[in-house]
């Protein structure tokens, strides 16, 4: 009997986290912010001299934090005092922005860069809490305030933040950040990628404050396949069991007083008869208000259901075809990482002009402005974890890193109606260790979000006997909702006209998404359809691909590779690539190639 009681007791007190465990505050997008964007002082540090403790290993915290550690932001006391660094006399870089694109001497730099920003901050109320938030920094980041370590973050594309309440001081506060973008075999992504390794504080940095009692996280979305039931999960800080949180969605005539439990959490649902469902043709967003004590938080949330039925994709119960395009997070005109609302408007504007209702944000989580803009513009979104190519599948740290980056993007974007797909990976070679790694990611994702479809960009292979037969039988496909794969018939395999003879053998009765196809072309380079790199060659690939793919009965969508030309260190061909991957439908100067209009025409008539 005793044993049974013990088990029951343990289960009662087991902390049932209703969210993926990340210390990310939900919806800082709508909180009042104090931006730290602008000029930061920087010191380049290829030998990690700023943290080097005279040992051979790199980047080791100083055991006795001497003034020579850059995070101390120390000054020479007088003319007899020897100091060998000084942020005040250092160069500056703009934040956000990669260092690569701001100074030719940093173009190929891979290593540590120290950043320092001085700021003053006066709290509005005595017991408020103050946070510093980084929307993204590539790749490994350590953060210090007034000489004290706040913490660190790994991953180039997800937000992170720290509570700085107890470390704030009167007058100038010294925020010191070191970002290291070196590639590592066991990192996520690993050492080899077909994109440029932009380093630094590539997204917004800002401060914000909240009352001591505040809302930390929430998910307010239709429950899985429940078109008239909104699931409501809320987590709070500093609120005792029985405390009240007000939920208002005026246009749905919802005004409910909810009660937090002993964990400071709420998990309930609200039935609603009539909802204007979010969709590309009707990107309806509702004003949602949460009031918890002195904390008033607003959000703009769309309600929709997404499901699969055999090989059909159903949005709000109706079959849809995903007219998509793949996008890297790079504003080609400015030539750096995209980060702003304007960048999002530019990129999604081009996708809209192409006739898209769907975008694949490759190959990593993009900045939040893209998701908010997709919600507003009515663009469905595939978000992707940077588990790209030959990841170190056997390494437990690598798995934790991949899981953490996935948890962070799921935490940030869980209320975005536009997000319909979480993609686990891209073009990962099948194998036992890879299958185990990806299946664990699927289980983790499903445990934290059963309202979205799962996928991964898999690979096809040729039939051994008959080269005209292409086979998709990746075992991992059994574990995802959308059967997605990349194929380059006409570019890496055969010529454009090869497509018409290809027969696809697809083992699963699931919606088929072609997550990549396409070919390279230099904008303005013209010739016949057999000449590589001409716009005509690329246009022929698209024309022939459409004919071939239309023969696949389960075909449910495509995100051709790719909206715009993008920088890649793997594309050196002088006079044609010049360091760019040229598969864009639009050049890096914004010029539309012939293939843009082939795809636009196909989507218009689909
Ligand atoms: C792969 C990969 C892309 C890459 C593309 C290409 O499919 O997923 O990241 O850019 O091929 O070769 O252009």
């Amino acid at each position: 009997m005793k044993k049974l009681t013990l088990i029951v007791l343990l289960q009662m007190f087991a902390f049932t986290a209703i969210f993926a465990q990340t210390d990310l505050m939900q919806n800082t997008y709508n909180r009042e912010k104090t931006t730290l964007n602008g000029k930061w002082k920087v010191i380049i540090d290829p030998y990690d001299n700023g943290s080097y403790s005279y040992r051979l290993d790199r980047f080791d915290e100083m055991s006795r934090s001497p003034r020579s550690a850059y995070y101390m932001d120390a000054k020479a006391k007088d003319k007899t005092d020897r100091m060998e660094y000084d942020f005040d006399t250092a160069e500056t870089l703009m934040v956000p922005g990669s260092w690569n694109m701001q100074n030719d001497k940093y173009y190929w730099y891979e290593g540590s860069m120290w950043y320092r920003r001085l700021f003053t901050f006066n709290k509005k109320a005595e017991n408020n809490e103050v946070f510093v938030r980084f929307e993204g920094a590539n790749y490994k980041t350590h953060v210090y305030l007034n000489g004290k370590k706040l913490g660190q973050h790994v991953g180039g594309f997800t937000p992170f933040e720290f509570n700085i309440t107890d470390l704030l001081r009167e007058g100038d506060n010294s925020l010191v950040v070191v970002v290291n973008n070196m590639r590592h075999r066991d990192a996520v992504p690993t050492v080899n990628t077909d994109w440029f390794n932009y380093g630094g504080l590539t997204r917004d940095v800002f401060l914000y404050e909240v009352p001591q009692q505040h809302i930390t996280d929430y998910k307010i979305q239709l429950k899985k396949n429940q078109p008239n039931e909104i699931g409501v999960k809320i987590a709070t800080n500093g609120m005792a069991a029985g405390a009240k949180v007000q939920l208002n969605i005026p246009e749905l005539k919802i005004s409910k007083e909810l009660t937090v439990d002993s964990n400071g959490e709420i998990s309930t649902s609200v039935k609603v008869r009539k909802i204007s469902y979010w969709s590309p043709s009707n990107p309806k967003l509702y004003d949602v208000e949460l009031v918890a004590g002195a904390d008033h938080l607003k959000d703009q949330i769309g309600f929709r259901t997404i499901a699969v039925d055999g090989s059909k994709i159903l949005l709000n119960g109706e079959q849809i075809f995903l007219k998509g395009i793949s996008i890297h997070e790079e504003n080609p005109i400015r030539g750096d990482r995209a980060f702003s609302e304007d960048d999002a408007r530019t990129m999604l504007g081009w996708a809209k002009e192409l006739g898209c209702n769907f975008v694949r944000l490759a190959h990593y989580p993009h900045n939040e402005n893209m998701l908010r803009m997709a919600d507003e513009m009515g663009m469905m979104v595939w978000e992707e974890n940077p588990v790209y190519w030959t990841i170190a599948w056997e390494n437990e740290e690598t798995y934790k890193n991949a899981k953490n980056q996935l948890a962070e993007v799921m935490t940030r974007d869980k209320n975005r109606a536009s997000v319909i797909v979480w993609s686990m990976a891209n073009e990962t070679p099948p194998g036992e260790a890879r299958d185990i790694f990806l299946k664990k990611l699927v289980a983790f994702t499903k445990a934290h979000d059963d309202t979205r479809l799962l996928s991964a960009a898999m690979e096809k292979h040729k039939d051994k006997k008959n080269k005209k037969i292409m086979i998709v039988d990746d075992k991992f496909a059994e574990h995802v909702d959308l059967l997605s794969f990349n194929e380059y018939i006409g570019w890496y395999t055969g010529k454009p006209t090869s497509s018409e003879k290809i027969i696809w053998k697809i083992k699963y009765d699931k919606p088929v998404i072609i997550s990549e196809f396409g070919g390279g072309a230099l904008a303005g380079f013209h010739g016949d359809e057999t000449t590589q790199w001409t716009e005509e060659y690329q246009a022929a690939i698209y024309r022939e691909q459409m004919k071939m793919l239309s023969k696949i009965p389960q075909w449910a969508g495509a995100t051709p590779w790719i909206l715009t030309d993008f920088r890649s260190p793997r594309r050196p061909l002088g006079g044609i690539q010049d360091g760019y991957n040229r598969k864009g439908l639009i050049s890096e100067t914004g010029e539309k190639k012939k293939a843009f209009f082939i795809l636009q025409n196909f989507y218009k008539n689909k």
Side-chain angles (χ1 to χ4, degrees):
M1 183 50 189
K2 265 211 179 63
K3 191 161 175 285
L4 182 63
T5 314
L6 180 66
I7 291 169
V8 168
L9 278 173
L10 279 175
Q11 277 169 346
M12 267 172 66
F13 291 103
F15 178 70
T16 51
I18 58 174
F19 296 117
Q21 286 315 300
T22 69
D23 42 7
L24 275 178
M25 201 79 79
Q26 180 62 215
N27 187 19
T28 51
Y29 185 88
N30 280 302
R31 285 197 179 277
E32 190 187 338
K33 299 182 268 284
T34 303
T35 183
L36 295 183
N37 289 356
K39 279 187 187 307
W40 288 49
K41 292 288 190 176
V42 293
I43 298 173
I44 189 166
D45 189 6
Y47 291 8
D48 283 324
N49 180 57
S51 61
Y52 186 43
S53 57
Y54 305 111
R55 290 166 40 197
L56 295 181
D57 52 342
R58 294 173 68 89
F59 201 86
D60 171 67
E61 232 86 82
M62 300 289 186
S63 50
R64 39 191 178 75
S65 63
R67 296 166 61 228
S68 62
Y70 294 178
Y71 58 80
M72 295 302 287
D73 189 10
K75 304 283 161 247
K77 290 194 182 68
D78 55 36
K79 65 180 184 346
T80 66
D81 183 12
R82 179 188 56 76
M83 285 299 293
E84 296 193 40
Y85 76 94
D86 181 351
F87 279 111
D88 291 341
T89 59
E91 297 182 338
T92 61
L93 283 176
M94 284 303 285
V95 169
S98 71
W99 60 65
N100 317 76
M101 301 314 295
Q102 295 189 55
N103 189 323
D104 287 351
K105 66 187 178 190
Y106 302 148
Y107 185 76
W108 292 109
Y109 179 57
E110 294 185 305
S112 293
M113 182 74 80
W114 290 85
Y115 291 78
R116 195 275 323 259
R117 175 71 151 78
L118 298 176
F119 69 87
T120 57
F121 191 85
N122 302 306
K123 293 199 299 188
K124 288 192 174 53
E126 183 44 39
N127 69 354
N128 279 4
E129 301 201 5
V130 185
F131 290 78
V132 61
R133 183 173 171 112
F134 299 80
E135 286 299 317
N138 186 45
Y139 168 81
K140 180 164 189 176
T141 309
H142 296 255
V143 183
Y144 309 84
L145 183 67
N146 301 330
K148 297 278 185 312
K149 177 83 178 278
L150 295 178
Q152 60 202 49
H153 182 264
V154 174
F157 307 98
T158 45
F160 52 100
E161 59 188 21
F162 303 100
N163 187 325
I164 59 173
T165 311
D166 301 338
L167 287 174
L168 277 175
R169 64 190 180 198
E170 287 300 308
D172 270 345
N173 289 272
S174 167
L175 178 64
V176 175
V177 182
V178 59
V179 185
N180 184 299
N181 72 333
M182 288 167 81
R183 291 164 292 115
H184 300 279
R185 175 72 192 87
D186 57 5
V188 180
T190 181
V191 287
N192 191 21
T193 64
D194 192 21
W195 70 77
F196 194 85
N197 182 24
Y198 293 103
L201 295 176
T202 48
R203 294 182 186 165
D204 290 335
V205 183
F206 55 85
L207 305 171
Y208 68 92
E209 70 180 298
V210 292
Q212 197 275 331
Q213 289 189 346
H214 58 270
I215 291 148
T216 55
D217 201 355
Y218 57 85
K219 182 174 181 179
I220 300 173
Q221 286 278 284
L222 284 176
K223 296 186 78 158
K224 187 178 178 70
N225 300 332
Q226 297 292 337
N228 293 93
E229 188 172 0
I230 297 177
V232 177
K233 291 186 172 182
I234 300 171
T236 66
N237 177 72
M239 299 188 83
K244 302 297 180 192
V245 175
Q246 183 68 24
L247 167 65
N248 299 326
I249 311 178
E251 281 190 86
L252 292 177
K253 298 190 180 27
I254 292 173
S255 173
K256 288 184 87 78
E257 186 178 74
L258 307 169
T259 305
V260 300
D261 63 20
S262 56
N263 292 322
E265 297 181 348
I266 293 165
S267 184
T268 182
S269 67
V270 182
K271 291 222 187 292
V272 194
R273 254 178 319 95
K274 199 173 168 342
I275 293 179
S276 172
Y277 294 108
W278 184 93
S279 73
S281 54
N282 175 48
K284 169 69 184 165
L285 298 178
Y286 284 90
D287 281 337
V288 176
E289 186 187 23
L290 289 167
V291 181
D295 193 15
H296 289 226
L297 190 51
K298 281 189 184 299
D299 206 341
Q300 301 74 37
I301 296 180
F303 299 105
R304 54 106 190 93
T305 60
I306 189 78
V308 295
D309 173 13
S311 61
K312 296 189 187 74
I313 301 173
L314 305 178
L315 176 70
N316 302 320
E318 285 171 37
Q319 185 177 3
I320 46 155
F321 184 87
L322 300 182
K323 306 181 205 178
I325 191 75
S326 291
I327 299 180
H328 256 306
E329 188 180 53
E330 190 174 298
N331 178 322
I333 311 290
R334 201 177 67 243
D336 197 354
R337 278 272 172 250
F339 67 86
S340 67
E341 202 174 303
D342 282 350
D343 293 336
R345 194 172 288 108
T346 300
M347 306 302 278
L348 294 177
W350 277 330
K352 205 90 184 161
E353 198 183 333
L354 188 54
C356 298
N357 60 11
F358 182 59
V359 289
R360 175 184 178 214
L361 301 187
H363 284 298
Y364 37 73
H366 289 211
N367 67 85
E368 186 171 1
N369 291 307
M370 276 298 264
L371 286 303
R372 294 279 177 168
M373 190 63 68
D375 266 12
E376 279 175 41
M377 290 173 72
M379 193 69 77
M380 293 177 284
V381 173
W382 157 311
E383 288 213 83
E384 188 159 305
N385 206 24
V387 173
Y388 180 93
W389 288 355
T390 52
I391 292 286
W393 309 111
E394 326 264 353
N395 182 315
E396 187 52 29
E397 280 312 303
T398 303
Y399 172 73
K400 282 188 200 143
N401 179 350
K403 185 181 81 163
N404 187 52
Q405 292 190 51
L406 188 54
E408 289 173 344
V409 66
M410 288 202 294
T411 298
R412 185 193 71 183
D413 297 340
K414 65 168 79 87
N415 293 303
R416 304 283 70 78
S418 51
V419 181
I420 61 167
V421 178
W422 297 124
S423 167
M424 303 294 107
N426 177 68
E427 275 192 8
T428 53
E432 196 188 344
R434 169 264 202 178
D435 292 350
I436 292 167
F437 189 107
L438 294 187
K439 280 191 285 193
K440 279 164 66 178
L441 281 184
V442 164
F444 177 76
T445 303
K446 283 186 168 167
H448 287 102
D449 182 354
D450 65 356
T451 60
R452 290 177 171 93
L453 305 179
L454 268 61
S455 193
M458 291 170 267
E459 290 189 287
K460 49 95 185 88
H461 63 87
K462 283 181 187 152
D463 181 279
K464 288 193 179 49
K465 293 190 223 46
N466 179 345
K467 292 230 174 316
K468 298 282 170 271
I469 295 177
M470 289 293 161
I471 297 168
V472 181
D473 60 359
D474 187 328
K475 285 210 308 295
F476 180 60
E478 289 157 25
H479 303 276
V480 292
D481 301 300
L482 301 181
L483 174 59
S484 308
F485 58 91
N486 302 343
E487 51 88 7
Y488 282 90
I489 311 290
W491 182 254
Y492 293 125
T493 307
K495 298 294 176 199
T497 50
S498 312
S499 298
E500 61 197 49
K501 303 177 201 76
I502 295 293
I503 299 153
W504 285 96
K505 273 192 168 173
I506 294 169
K507 200 178 150 198
Y508 303 95
D509 180 30
K510 296 190 173 197
V512 165
I513 305 295
I514 313 298
S515 32
E516 288 181 32
F517 71 76
L522 177 65
F525 178 38
H526 295 286
D528 63 31
E529 294 185 359
T530 63
T531 307
Q532 289 268 343
W533 305 110
T534 59
E535 288 194 32
E536 287 70 20
Y537 190 100
Q538 185 191 45
I541 290 173
Y542 274 74
R543 189 188 61 235
E544 296 304 322
Q545 279 275 346
M546 293 300 145
K547 284 188 234 166
M548 171 185 73
L549 296 174
S550 301
K551 291 181 218 159
I552 299 175
Q554 310 97 313
W555 190 29
T559 50
W561 194 257
I562 184 171
L563 183 65
T564 61
D565 290 350
F566 62 95
R567 276 198 173 78
S568 167
R570 302 176 67 247
R571 308 294 175 175
L573 179 60
I576 297 280
Q577 295 177 318
D578 297 323
Y580 279 86
N581 182 312
R582 292 288 181 201
K583 295 186 183 71
L585 295 177
I586 302 174
S587 75
E588 79 279 17
T589 59
E591 210 179 321
K592 295 183 180 72
K593 305 171 192 175
K594 280 189 165 180
F596 178 97
F597 303 100
I598 301 280
L599 185 62
Q600 184 185 53
N601 190 49
F602 178 80
Y603 281 163
K604 199 163 65 187
N605 297 321
K606 185 68 188 165

